[in-house]
């Protein structure tokens, strides 16, 4: 990152400090107790903000996802993504972008994420918990623009409805909505399939990768929940 500043601390050390905050959920000022290891908290926080404003975190995630797919001998980008959301509680004293998920009775934030069959994230959005899945899903779709050239199909569960489907189709993709059981195909939503089906069913490509991929990704985020809840 070229910000025309004379650098006293290496970016690697600064990134390590940010990752430590993310992993532990500690306050920024706690970094001063580790002065022998990390730079002053003001320096770390400044760079965190700059990375966020310049889209560095998103670019870094995109590059890592592509490298991991190639490592597993897959195409650089997927042709199918699955989207889902999860509401999580926030830490105390947080007042911005919070709300109550009336369905799950959780006061906090909602994280929506689109993953491929490997469970790798391609787009995500963090909103207040009272944001509908449709609205949050549309944000996720908007952030896919230009990132996944091979993408053809986006699969979701029954919480994603007409407005989400319209957004997906306007972006040039197909939408398939899964139910809890087998139902007849619907033209507007594509061929529906069992909620936990992956691969092919009776010779027909199923719409949705296993929800385990998304649930596992969300569970991993819980283990590093500092930035989800505080930022």
């Amino acid at each position: 990152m070229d910000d025309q500043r004379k650098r006293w601390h290496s970016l690697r050390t600064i990134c390590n400090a940010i990752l430590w905050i993310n992993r532990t959920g500690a306050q920024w000022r706690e970094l001063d107790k580790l002065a022998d290891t990390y730079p002053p908290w003001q320096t770390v926080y400044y760079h965190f903000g700059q990375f966020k404003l310049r889209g560095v975190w998103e670019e870094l995630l995109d590059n890592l996802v592509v490298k991991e797919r190639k490592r597993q001998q897959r195409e650089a980008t997927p042709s199918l993504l699955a989207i889902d959301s999860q509401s999580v509680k926030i830490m105390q004293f947080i007042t911005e972008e919070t709300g109550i998920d009336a369905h799950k009775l959780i006061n906090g934030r909602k994280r929506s994420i689109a993953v491929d069959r490997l469970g790798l994230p391609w787009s995500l959005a963090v909103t207040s918990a009272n944001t509908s899945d449709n609205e949050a899903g549309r944000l996720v779709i908007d952030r896919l623009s230009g990132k996944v050239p091979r993408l053809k199909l986006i699969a979701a569960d029954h919480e994603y409805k007409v407005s989400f489907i319209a957004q997906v189709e306007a972006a040039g993709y197909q939408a398939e909505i899964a139910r809890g059981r087998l139902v007849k195909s619907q033209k507007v939503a594509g061929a529906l399939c069992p909620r936990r089906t992956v691969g092919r069913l009776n010779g027909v490509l199923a719409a949705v990768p296993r929800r385990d991929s998304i649930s596992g990704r969300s569970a991993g985020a819980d283990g590093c929940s500092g930035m989800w809840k505080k930022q």
Side-chain angles (χ1 to χ4, degrees), residues 2 7 20 26 41-42 45 50 52 65-66 71 86 88-89 98 143 147 158 163 166 175 184 186 200 210 217:
D2 184 11
R7 212 176 299 284
W20 181 82
W41 74 268
Q42 296 93 333
Y45 184 76
Q50 289 298 307
K52 183 178 179 180
V65 166
V66 170
R71 188 186 71 83
Q86 183 184 43
V88 295
K89 295 180 180 180
T98 66
R143 294 173 184 180
K147 291 170 54 175
H158 64 281
S163 60
K184 293 182 179 180
Q186 296 180 1
R200 292 182 177 271
R210 292 180 65 87
R217 184 60 54 189

Side-chain angles (χ1 to χ4, degrees), residues 136-231:
R138 292 198 297 269
L139 290 176
V140 173
I141 300 304
D142 286 342
R143 294 173 184 180
L144 284 171
S145 178
K147 291 170 54 175
V148 196
R150 293 183 64 247
L151 182 60
K152 297 179 180 179
L153 181 67
I154 296 178
D157 63 24
H158 64 281
E159 296 295 333
Y160 295 87
K161 305 184 187 301
V162 176
S163 60
F164 171 78
I165 296 172
Q167 181 82 2
V168 171
E169 294 177 345
Y173 313 127
Q174 293 180 335
E176 293 200 8
I177 308 301
R179 308 297 184 187
R181 57 186 176 85
L182 280 173
V183 296
K184 293 182 179 180
S185 299
Q186 296 180 1
K187 185 176 181 181
V188 65
L192 305 186
C193 73
R195 185 164 181 167
R196 298 183 64 84
T197 299
V198 62
R200 292 182 177 271
L201 178 66
N202 297 327
V204 179
L205 181 65
V208 183
R210 292 180 65 87
R211 288 173 57 87
D212 295 348
S213 297
I214 301 178
S215 299
R217 184 60 54 189
S218 295
D222 281 332
C224 305
S225 57
M227 296 304 178
W228 287 106
K229 300 178 180 180
K230 295 196 298 183
Q231 299 303 327

